[in-house]
Coordinates of all heavy atoms in Angstrom, one line a residue:
L21 N -10.5 -3.4 33.8 CA -9.1 -3.1 33.7 C -8.7 -3.1 32.2 O -8.9 -4.1 31.5 CB -8.3 -4.1 34.5 CG -8.5 -4.1 36.0 CD1 -8.1 -5.4 36.6 CD2 -7.7 -2.9 36.5
C22 N -8.0 -2.1 31.8 CA -7.5 -2.0 30.5 C -6.0 -2.3 30.4 O -5.2 -1.6 31.1 CB -7.8 -0.6 29.9 SG -7.3 -0.3 28.2
A23 N -5.7 -3.3 29.7 CA -4.3 -3.6 29.6 C -3.5 -2.7 28.6 O -4.1 -2.4 27.5 CB -4.1 -5.1 29.1
A24 N -2.4 -2.3 29.0 CA -1.6 -1.3 28.1 C -0.9 -2.1 27.0 O -0.4 -3.2 27.3 CB -0.6 -0.6 28.9
V25 N -1.0 -1.6 25.8 CA -0.4 -2.3 24.7 C 1.0 -1.6 24.4 O 1.1 -0.4 24.5 CB -1.3 -2.1 23.4 CG1 -0.6 -2.7 22.2 CG2 -2.6 -2.8 23.7
L26 N 2.0 -2.4 24.3 CA 3.3 -1.9 24.0 C 3.3 -1.1 22.7 O 2.6 -1.5 21.8 CB 4.3 -3.0 24.0 CG 4.6 -3.8 25.3 CD1 5.5 -5.0 25.0 CD2 5.2 -2.9 26.3
L27 N 4.2 -0.1 22.6 CA 4.2 0.7 21.4 C 4.7 -0.2 20.2 O 4.2 0.0 19.1 CB 5.2 1.9 21.6 CG 5.3 2.8 20.5 CD1 4.0 3.5 20.2 CD2 6.4 3.9 20.8
K28 N 5.5 -1.2 20.5 CA 6.0 -2.1 19.5 C 4.9 -2.9 18.8 O 4.9 -3.2 17.6 CB 7.1 -3.0 20.1 CG 7.7 -3.9 19.0 CD 8.6 -4.8 19.7 CE 9.1 -6.0 18.8 NZ 9.9 -6.9 19.4
D29 N 3.9 -3.2 19.6 CA 2.8 -4.1 19.2 C 1.6 -3.3 18.6 O 0.6 -3.9 18.2 CB 2.4 -5.0 20.3 CG 3.4 -5.9 20.8 OD1 4.3 -6.3 19.9 OD2 3.5 -6.2 22.0
M30 N 1.7 -2.0 18.6 CA 0.5 -1.2 18.2 C 0.5 -1.2 16.7 O 1.5 -1.2 16.0 CB 0.6 0.3 18.7 CG 0.5 0.4 20.2 SD 0.7 2.0 20.8 CE -0.9 2.7 20.4
K31 N -0.8 -1.0 16.1 CA -0.9 -0.9 14.7 C -0.7 0.6 14.3 O -0.8 1.5 15.2 CB -2.4 -1.2 14.3 CG -2.7 -2.7 14.5 CD -4.1 -2.9 14.1 CE -4.4 -4.4 14.3 NZ -5.8 -4.7 14.0
L32 N -0.4 0.9 13.1 CA 0.0 2.2 12.6 C -1.2 3.2 12.9 O -0.9 4.3 13.3 CB 0.3 2.2 11.2 CG 0.7 3.5 10.5 CD1 1.9 4.2 11.2 CD2 1.0 3.4 9.1
L33 N -2.4 2.8 12.7 CA -3.5 3.6 12.9 C -3.8 4.0 14.4 O -4.4 5.0 14.7 CB -4.8 3.0 12.3 CG -4.8 2.9 10.8 CD1 -6.1 2.2 10.3 CD2 -4.7 4.2 10.1
D34 N -3.2 3.2 15.3 CA -3.4 3.5 16.7 C -2.2 4.3 17.3 O -2.3 4.8 18.4 CB -3.5 2.2 17.5 CG -4.7 1.3 17.1 OD1 -5.7 2.0 16.6 OD2 -4.6 0.1 17.2
V35 N -1.2 4.6 16.5 CA 0.0 5.3 17.0 C -0.4 6.8 16.9 O -0.9 7.3 15.9 CB 1.2 5.0 16.2 CG1 2.4 5.8 16.6 CG2 1.5 3.5 16.3
K36 N -0.1 7.5 18.0 CA -0.2 9.0 18.0 C 0.9 9.6 17.3 O 2.0 9.0 17.1 CB -0.3 9.5 19.4 CG -1.6 9.0 20.2 CD -1.7 9.7 21.5 CE -3.1 9.5 22.1 NZ -3.4 8.1 22.5
L37 N 0.7 10.8 16.8 CA 1.7 11.5 16.0 C 3.0 11.7 16.7 O 4.1 11.6 16.1 CB 1.1 12.9 15.5 CG 1.8 13.5 14.4 CD1 1.9 12.6 13.1 CD2 1.2 14.9 14.0
G38 N 3.0 12.0 18.0 CA 4.2 12.2 18.8 C 5.0 10.9 18.9 O 6.2 10.9 19.2
Q39 N 4.3 9.7 18.9 CA 5.0 8.4 19.0 C 5.4 7.9 17.7 O 6.1 6.8 17.7 CB 3.9 7.5 19.7 CG 3.4 7.8 21.0 CD 2.3 6.9 21.5 OE1 1.6 6.4 20.6 NE2 2.2 6.7 22.7
L40 N 5.1 8.5 16.6 CA 5.5 7.9 15.3 C 6.9 7.7 15.1 O 7.3 6.6 14.6 CB 4.9 8.8 14.2 CG 5.0 8.3 12.8 CD1 4.2 7.0 12.7 CD2 4.4 9.3 11.8
P41 N 7.9 8.7 15.4 CA 9.3 8.4 15.2 C 9.8 7.2 16.0 O 10.5 6.3 15.5 CB 10.0 9.7 15.6 CG 9.0 10.7 15.5 CD 7.7 10.1 15.8
T42 N 9.3 7.1 17.3 CA 9.7 5.9 18.1 C 9.2 4.6 17.5 O 9.9 3.6 17.5 CB 9.2 6.2 19.5 OG1 9.6 7.4 20.0 CG2 9.8 5.1 20.5
W43 N 7.9 4.7 17.1 CA 7.3 3.5 16.5 C 8.0 3.0 15.3 O 8.3 1.9 15.1 CB 5.8 3.8 16.2 CG 5.1 2.6 15.7 CD1 4.5 1.6 16.5 CD2 4.8 2.3 14.3 NE1 3.9 0.7 15.6 CE2 4.0 1.1 14.3 CE3 5.1 2.9 13.1 CZ2 3.6 0.5 13.1 CZ3 4.7 2.3 11.9 CH2 3.9 1.1 12.0
L44 N 8.4 4.0 14.4 CA 9.2 3.7 13.1 C 10.5 3.1 13.5 O 11.0 2.2 12.8 CB 9.3 4.9 12.3 CG 8.0 5.3 11.5 CD1 8.2 6.6 10.8 CD2 7.7 4.2 10.5
A45 N 11.1 3.6 14.6 CA 12.5 3.1 14.9 C 12.4 1.6 15.4 O 13.4 0.9 15.3 CB 13.1 4.0 16.0
M46 N 11.3 1.2 15.9 CA 11.1 -0.2 16.3 C 10.8 -1.2 15.2 O 10.7 -2.3 15.5 CB 10.0 -0.3 17.4 CG 10.3 0.4 18.6 SD 9.0 0.2 19.8 CE 9.5 1.3 21.1
R47 N 10.5 -0.7 14.0 CA 10.2 -1.6 12.9 C 11.4 -2.3 12.4 O 12.6 -1.9 12.5 CB 9.5 -0.8 11.8 CG 8.3 -0.1 12.1 CD 7.1 -1.0 12.4 NE 7.0 -1.1 13.9 CZ 6.3 -2.0 14.5 NH1 5.7 -3.0 13.8 NH2 6.2 -2.1 15.8
D48 N 11.2 -3.5 11.8 CA 12.3 -4.3 11.3 C 12.4 -3.9 9.8 O 11.6 -4.3 9.0 CB 11.9 -5.8 11.5 CG 13.0 -6.7 11.0 OD1 14.2 -6.2 10.8 OD2 12.8 -7.9 10.9
F49 N 13.5 -3.2 9.4 CA 13.7 -2.8 8.1 C 14.8 -3.7 7.3 O 15.3 -3.3 6.3 CB 14.1 -1.3 8.0 CG 13.0 -0.4 8.3 CD1 12.9 0.3 9.5 CD2 12.0 -0.2 7.4 CE1 11.9 1.2 9.8 CE2 10.9 0.6 7.6 CZ 10.9 1.3 8.8
T50 N 15.0 -4.8 7.8 CA 15.9 -5.8 7.1 C 15.2 -6.4 6.0 O 13.9 -6.3 5.9 CB 16.4 -6.9 8.1 OG1 15.2 -7.6 8.5 CG2 17.2 -6.3 9.3
P51 N 15.8 -6.9 5.0 CA 15.1 -7.5 3.9 C 14.1 -8.6 4.3 O 13.0 -8.7 3.8 CB 16.2 -8.1 3.0 CG 17.4 -7.3 3.3 CD 17.3 -6.9 4.7
G52 N 14.5 -9.4 5.3 CA 13.5 -10.4 5.8 C 12.3 -9.8 6.5 O 11.2 -10.3 6.3
G53 N 12.5 -8.7 7.2 CA 11.4 -8.0 7.8 C 10.5 -7.4 6.8 O 9.3 -7.4 7.0
I54 N 11.0 -6.8 5.8 CA 10.2 -6.2 4.7 C 9.4 -7.2 4.0 O 8.2 -7.0 3.7 CB 11.1 -5.3 3.8 CG1 11.7 -4.1 4.5 CG2 10.3 -4.9 2.6 CD1 12.7 -3.4 3.8
V55 N 10.0 -8.3 3.7 CA 9.3 -9.4 3.0 C 8.2 -10.0 3.9 O 7.2 -10.3 3.4 CB 10.3 -10.5 2.5 CG1 9.6 -11.8 2.1 CG2 11.3 -10.0 1.4
G56 N 8.6 -10.1 5.2 CA 7.5 -10.6 6.1 C 6.3 -9.6 6.2 O 5.2 -10.1 6.3
A57 N 6.6 -8.3 6.2 CA 5.5 -7.4 6.3 C 4.6 -7.4 5.0 O 3.4 -7.4 5.1 CB 6.1 -6.0 6.5
I58 N 5.3 -7.6 3.9 CA 4.5 -7.6 2.6 C 3.7 -8.9 2.6 O 2.6 -9.0 2.2 CB 5.5 -7.6 1.4 CG1 6.1 -6.2 1.3 CG2 4.8 -8.0 0.1 CD1 7.2 -6.1 0.3
R59 N 4.3 -10.0 3.1 CA 3.6 -11.3 3.2 C 2.4 -11.2 4.1 O 1.3 -11.7 3.7 CB 4.6 -12.4 3.6 CG 3.9 -13.7 3.7 CD 3.5 -14.3 2.4 NE 2.9 -15.5 2.5 CZ 2.4 -16.3 1.5 NH1 2.8 -15.9 0.3 NH2 1.9 -17.3 1.7
R60 N 2.5 -10.6 5.2 CA 1.4 -10.4 6.2 C 0.3 -9.6 5.6 O -0.9 -9.9 5.7 CB 1.9 -9.9 7.5 CG 2.6 -10.8 8.4 CD 2.9 -10.3 9.8 NE 3.6 -9.0 9.8 CZ 4.9 -8.8 9.7 NH1 5.7 -9.9 9.6 NH2 5.4 -7.6 9.7
G61 N 0.7 -8.5 4.9 CA -0.3 -7.7 4.2 C -1.0 -8.4 3.2 O -2.3 -8.3 3.0
Y62 N -0.3 -9.2 2.3 CA -1.0 -10.0 1.3 C -1.9 -11.0 1.9 O -3.0 -11.1 1.4 CB 0.1 -10.7 0.5 CG -0.5 -11.6 -0.5 CD1 -1.1 -11.2 -1.7 CD2 -0.6 -13.0 -0.3 CE1 -1.7 -12.1 -2.6 CE2 -1.1 -13.9 -1.2 CZ -1.7 -13.4 -2.3 OH -2.3 -14.3 -3.2
D63 N -1.5 -11.7 3.0 CA -2.3 -12.7 3.6 C -3.6 -12.0 4.2 O -4.7 -12.6 4.1 CB -1.6 -13.4 4.7 CG -0.5 -14.4 4.1 OD1 -0.6 -14.7 2.9 OD2 0.4 -14.8 4.9
R64 N -3.4 -10.9 4.8 CA -4.6 -10.2 5.4 C -5.6 -9.7 4.2 O -6.8 -9.9 4.4 CB -4.1 -8.9 6.1 CG -5.2 -8.3 6.9 CD -4.6 -7.1 7.8 NE -3.5 -7.6 8.7 CZ -2.4 -7.0 8.8 NH1 -2.2 -5.9 8.1 NH2 -1.4 -7.4 9.6
Y65 N -5.0 -9.2 3.2 CA -5.9 -8.8 2.0 C -6.5 -10.0 1.4 O -7.8 -9.9 1.1 CB -5.0 -8.1 1.0 CG -5.7 -7.7 -0.3 CD1 -6.5 -6.6 -0.4 CD2 -5.6 -8.6 -1.4 CE1 -7.2 -6.4 -1.6 CE2 -6.3 -8.3 -2.6 CZ -7.1 -7.2 -2.6 OH -7.8 -6.9 -3.8
Y66 N -5.8 -11.1 1.2 CA -6.4 -12.3 0.5 C -7.6 -12.8 1.4 O -8.6 -13.2 0.9 CB -5.3 -13.3 0.3 CG -5.8 -14.5 -0.4 CD1 -5.9 -14.5 -1.8 CD2 -6.2 -15.7 0.2 CE1 -6.3 -15.5 -2.5 CE2 -6.6 -16.7 -0.5 CZ -6.7 -16.7 -1.8 OH -7.1 -17.8 -2.6
S67 N -7.3 -12.9 2.7 CA -8.4 -13.5 3.6 C -9.6 -12.6 3.8 O -10.7 -13.1 4.0 CB -7.8 -13.9 5.0 OG -7.4 -12.7 5.6
K68 N -9.4 -11.3 3.6 CA -10.5 -10.3 3.8 C -11.3 -10.2 2.5 O -12.5 -10.0 2.6 CB -10.0 -9.0 4.3 CG -11.1 -8.0 4.6 CD -10.5 -6.8 5.3 CE -11.7 -5.9 5.6 NZ -11.2 -4.7 6.3
Y69 N -10.7 -10.2 1.3 CA -11.4 -9.8 0.1 C -11.5 -10.9 -0.9 O -12.4 -10.9 -1.7 CB -10.7 -8.6 -0.5 CG -10.8 -7.4 0.3 CD1 -9.7 -6.8 0.9 CD2 -12.1 -6.7 0.4 CE1 -9.8 -5.7 1.7 CE2 -12.2 -5.5 1.1 CZ -11.1 -5.1 1.8 OH -11.2 -3.9 2.5
I70 N -10.6 -11.9 -0.9 CA -10.6 -12.9 -2.0 C -11.1 -14.2 -1.5 O -12.0 -14.8 -2.1 CB -9.1 -13.0 -2.6 CG1 -8.5 -11.7 -3.0 CG2 -9.1 -14.1 -3.7 CD1 -9.3 -11.0 -4.1
D71 N -10.6 -14.7 -0.4 CA -11.0 -16.0 0.1 C -12.2 -15.9 1.0 O -12.1 -16.2 2.3 CB -9.8 -16.6 0.9 CG -10.0 -18.0 1.2 OD1 -10.8 -18.7 0.5 OD2 -9.4 -18.5 2.2
V72 N -13.3 -15.5 0.5 CA -14.6 -15.4 1.3 C -15.6 -16.2 0.6 O -15.6 -16.7 -0.5 CB -15.0 -13.9 1.3 CG1 -14.1 -13.0 2.1 CG2 -15.2 -13.4 -0.1
R73 N -16.6 -16.5 1.4 CA -17.7 -17.4 1.0 C -18.6 -16.8 -0.1 O -18.9 -17.4 -1.2 CB -18.6 -17.8 2.1 CG -19.6 -18.9 1.8 CD -20.3 -19.4 3.0 NE -19.4 -20.2 3.7 CZ -19.7 -20.9 4.8 NH1 -20.9 -21.0 5.1 NH2 -18.8 -21.6 5.4
K74 N -19.0 -15.6 0.1 CA -19.8 -14.9 -0.9 C -19.0 -13.7 -1.4 O -19.2 -12.5 -0.9 CB -21.1 -14.4 -0.2 CG -22.1 -15.5 0.1 CD -23.3 -15.0 0.8 CE -24.3 -14.6 -0.3 NZ -25.6 -14.2 0.3
G75 N -18.1 -13.9 -2.3 CA -17.2 -12.8 -2.8 C -17.9 -11.9 -3.8 O -18.9 -12.3 -4.4
G76 N -17.4 -10.8 -3.8 CA -17.9 -9.8 -4.8 C -16.8 -9.3 -5.7 O -15.7 -9.9 -5.8
L77 N -17.0 -8.1 -6.3 CA -15.9 -7.6 -7.2 C -15.0 -6.6 -6.4 O -14.1 -6.1 -7.0 CB -16.6 -6.8 -8.3 CG -17.4 -7.7 -9.3 CD1 -18.1 -6.8 -10.3 CD2 -16.5 -8.7 -10.0
G78 N -15.2 -6.5 -5.1 CA -14.4 -5.5 -4.3 C -13.0 -5.8 -4.3 O -12.2 -4.9 -4.6
G79 N -12.5 -7.0 -4.0 CA -11.1 -7.3 -4.0 C -10.4 -7.2 -5.3 O -9.3 -6.7 -5.4
I80 N -11.1 -7.8 -6.3 CA -10.5 -7.8 -7.7 C -10.4 -6.3 -8.2 O -9.5 -5.9 -8.8 CB -11.3 -8.7 -8.6 CG1 -11.3 -10.1 -8.1 CG2 -10.7 -8.6 -10.0 CD1 -10.0 -10.8 -7.9
S81 N -11.5 -5.5 -7.9 CA -11.4 -4.1 -8.4 C -10.4 -3.3 -7.7 O -9.8 -2.4 -8.4 CB -12.8 -3.5 -8.3 OG -13.1 -3.4 -6.9
M82 N -10.1 -3.6 -6.5 CA -9.0 -2.9 -5.8 C -7.6 -3.2 -6.4 O -6.8 -2.3 -6.6 CB -9.0 -3.2 -4.3 CG -10.0 -2.4 -3.6 SD -9.7 -2.5 -1.8 CE -10.8 -3.9 -1.5
V83 N -7.4 -4.4 -6.8 CA -6.2 -4.9 -7.4 C -6.1 -4.2 -8.8 O -5.0 -3.6 -9.2 CB -6.1 -6.4 -7.6 CG1 -4.9 -6.8 -8.4 CG2 -6.0 -7.0 -6.2
L84 N -7.2 -4.2 -9.5 CA -7.2 -3.5 -10.8 C -6.9 -2.0 -10.7 O -6.2 -1.4 -11.5 CB -8.5 -3.7 -11.5 CG -8.6 -3.2 -12.9 CD1 -7.6 -3.8 -13.9 CD2 -10.0 -3.4 -13.5
A85 N -7.6 -1.4 -9.7 CA -7.3 0.1 -9.5 C -5.9 0.4 -9.1 O -5.3 1.3 -9.6 CB -8.3 0.6 -8.4
G86 N -5.3 -0.5 -8.3 CA -3.9 -0.3 -8.0 C -3.0 -0.5 -9.2 O -2.0 0.3 -9.3
Y87 N -3.3 -1.4 -10.0 CA -2.5 -1.6 -11.2 C -2.6 -0.4 -12.1 O -1.6 0.1 -12.7 CB -3.0 -2.8 -12.0 CG -2.4 -3.0 -13.4 CD1 -1.0 -3.4 -13.5 CD2 -3.1 -2.7 -14.5 CE1 -0.5 -3.5 -14.7 CE2 -2.5 -2.8 -15.8 CZ -1.2 -3.2 -15.8 OH -0.6 -3.3 -17.1
V88 N -3.8 0.2 -12.2 CA -4.0 1.4 -13.1 C -3.2 2.6 -12.5 O -2.5 3.3 -13.3 CB -5.5 1.8 -13.2 CG1 -5.7 3.2 -13.8 CG2 -6.2 0.7 -14.1
V89 N -3.2 2.8 -11.2 CA -2.5 3.9 -10.6 C -1.0 3.7 -10.8 O -0.2 4.6 -11.1 CB -2.8 4.0 -9.1 CG1 -1.9 4.9 -8.4 CG2 -4.3 4.5 -9.0
V90 N -0.5 2.5 -10.6 CA 1.0 2.2 -10.7 C 1.4 2.4 -12.2 O 2.5 3.0 -12.4 CB 1.3 0.8 -10.1 CG1 2.7 0.4 -10.5 CG2 1.1 0.8 -8.6
S91 N 0.6 1.9 -13.1 CA 1.0 2.0 -14.4 C 1.0 3.5 -14.9 O 1.9 3.9 -15.7 CB 0.2 1.2 -15.4 OG -1.1 1.6 -15.4
Y92 N 0.1 4.3 -14.4 CA 0.1 5.7 -14.7 C 1.3 6.4 -14.1 O 1.9 7.2 -14.8 CB -1.2 6.4 -14.2 CG -1.3 7.8 -14.5 CD1 -1.6 8.3 -15.7 CD2 -1.0 8.8 -13.5 CE1 -1.7 9.6 -16.0 CE2 -1.1 10.1 -13.8 CZ -1.4 10.5 -15.0 OH -1.5 11.9 -15.3
I93 N 1.7 6.0 -12.9 CA 2.9 6.6 -12.3 C 4.1 6.3 -13.1 O 5.0 7.2 -13.3 CB 3.0 6.2 -10.8 CG1 1.8 6.9 -10.0 CG2 4.3 6.6 -10.2 CD1 1.8 6.3 -8.6
W94 N 4.2 5.0 -13.5 CA 5.4 4.6 -14.3 C 5.5 5.3 -15.6 O 6.6 5.6 -16.1 CB 5.4 3.1 -14.5 CG 5.8 2.3 -13.3 CD1 6.5 2.8 -12.2 CD2 5.5 0.9 -13.1 NE1 6.7 1.8 -11.3 CE2 6.1 0.7 -11.8 CE3 4.8 0.0 -13.7 CZ2 6.0 -0.6 -11.2 CZ3 4.7 -1.3 -13.2 CH2 5.4 -1.6 -11.9
S95 N 4.4 5.6 -16.3 CA 4.4 6.2 -17.6 C 4.2 7.8 -17.5 O 4.0 8.4 -18.6 CB 3.4 5.6 -18.5 OG 2.1 5.8 -18.0
Y96 N 4.2 8.3 -16.4 CA 3.8 9.8 -16.3 C 4.8 10.7 -17.0 O 4.4 11.6 -17.6 CB 3.8 10.2 -14.8 CG 3.5 11.7 -14.6 CD1 2.2 12.1 -14.8 CD2 4.4 12.6 -14.3 CE1 1.9 13.4 -14.7 CE2 4.1 13.9 -14.1 CZ 2.9 14.4 -14.3 OH 2.6 15.7 -14.2
S97 N 6.2 10.4 -16.9 CA 7.1 11.2 -17.6 C 6.9 11.2 -19.1 O 7.1 12.3 -19.7 CB 8.5 10.8 -17.2 OG 8.8 9.5 -17.7
H98 N 6.6 10.1 -19.7 CA 6.3 10.0 -21.1 C 5.0 10.8 -21.4 O 5.0 11.5 -22.4 CB 6.1 8.5 -21.5 CG 5.9 8.4 -23.0 ND1 6.8 8.7 -23.9 CD2 4.8 8.0 -23.6 CE1 6.3 8.4 -25.1 NE2 5.0 8.0 -25.0
L99 N 4.0 10.7 -20.6 CA 2.7 11.3 -20.9 C 2.9 12.8 -20.7 O 2.3 13.6 -21.4 CB 1.7 10.8 -19.9 CG 1.2 9.4 -20.1 CD1 0.3 9.0 -18.9 CD2 0.5 9.2 -21.4
K100 N 3.7 13.3 -19.7 CA 4.0 14.7 -19.5 C 4.7 15.3 -20.7 O 4.4 16.4 -21.1 CB 4.8 14.9 -18.2 CG 5.0 16.3 -17.9 CD 5.8 16.3 -16.6 CE 6.2 17.8 -16.3 NZ 7.0 17.9 -15.1
H101 N 5.7 14.5 -21.3 CA 6.4 15.0 -22.4 C 5.5 15.1 -23.6 O 5.6 16.1 -24.4 CB 7.6 14.0 -22.7 CG 8.4 14.4 -23.9 ND1 9.2 15.4 -24.0 CD2 8.4 13.8 -25.2 CE1 9.8 15.5 -25.2 NE2 9.3 14.6 -25.9
D102 N 4.6 14.1 -23.8 CA 3.7 14.2 -25.0 C 2.6 15.4 -24.8 O 2.1 15.8 -25.8 CB 2.9 12.9 -25.1 CG 3.8 11.8 -25.7 OD1 4.9 12.2 -26.3 OD2 3.5 10.6 -25.6
R103 N 2.3 15.7 -23.6 CA 1.3 16.7 -23.4 C 1.8 18.1 -24.0 O 0.9 18.9 -24.5 CB 1.0 16.8 -21.9 CG 0.0 17.8 -21.6 CD -0.3 17.8 -20.1 NE 0.9 18.2 -19.4 CZ 1.1 18.0 -18.1 NH1 0.2 17.4 -17.4 NH2 2.2 18.4 -17.5
H104 N 3.1 18.3 -23.9 CA 3.5 19.6 -24.4 C 3.9 19.7 -25.9 O 4.3 20.7 -26.4 CB 4.8 20.1 -23.6 CG 4.5 20.2 -22.1 ND1 3.6 21.2 -21.7 CD2 4.9 19.6 -21.0 CE1 3.5 21.2 -20.3 NE2 4.3 20.1 -19.9
R105 N 3.7 18.5 -26.5 CA 4.1 18.5 -28.0 C 2.9 18.9 -28.8 O 1.8 18.7 -28.5 CB 4.4 17.0 -28.3 CG 4.9 16.8 -29.7 CD 5.2 15.4 -30.0 NE 6.3 14.9 -29.1 CZ 6.5 13.7 -28.9 NH1 5.7 12.7 -29.4 NH2 7.5 13.3 -28.2
K106 N 3.2 19.7 -29.8 CA 2.1 20.2 -30.7 C 1.9 19.1 -31.8 O 2.8 18.6 -32.4 CB 2.5 21.5 -31.3 CG 2.6 22.6 -30.3 CD 2.6 24.0 -31.0 CE 2.8 25.0 -29.9 NZ 1.9 26.0 -30.1
Y107 N 0.6 18.9 -32.2 CA 0.3 18.0 -33.2 C -0.1 18.7 -34.5 O -1.2 18.8 -34.8 CB -0.9 17.1 -32.7 CG -0.5 16.3 -31.5 CD1 -0.9 16.7 -30.2 CD2 0.2 15.1 -31.6 CE1 -0.5 15.9 -29.1 CE2 0.6 14.4 -30.5 CZ 0.2 14.7 -29.3 OH 0.6 14.0 -28.2
H108 N 0.9 19.1 -35.2 CA 0.6 19.7 -36.6 C 1.8 19.5 -37.5 O 2.9 19.1 -37.1 CB 0.2 21.1 -36.5 CG 1.1 22.0 -35.8 ND1 2.3 22.4 -36.4 CD2 1.1 22.6 -34.6 CE1 2.9 23.3 -35.6 NE2 2.2 23.4 -34.5

């Protein structure tokens, strides 16, 4: 027997495209809910990649890659402006 999982309790990857608007409407978008979601994501990431017995460079390299992407996005307008400037 397969127990049906409520749409509210489903993970994002398990939600079908037609159910996505309903699933998003059930999320908690209050400041406390957003902070709680970020905290749960951090705890899941930490327990999976950082707090392990035989750790590798995987978790740290993902944080570093994320930092590089975010810093590039923040400085993109400056880089775009410099790209069109002539150096002479």
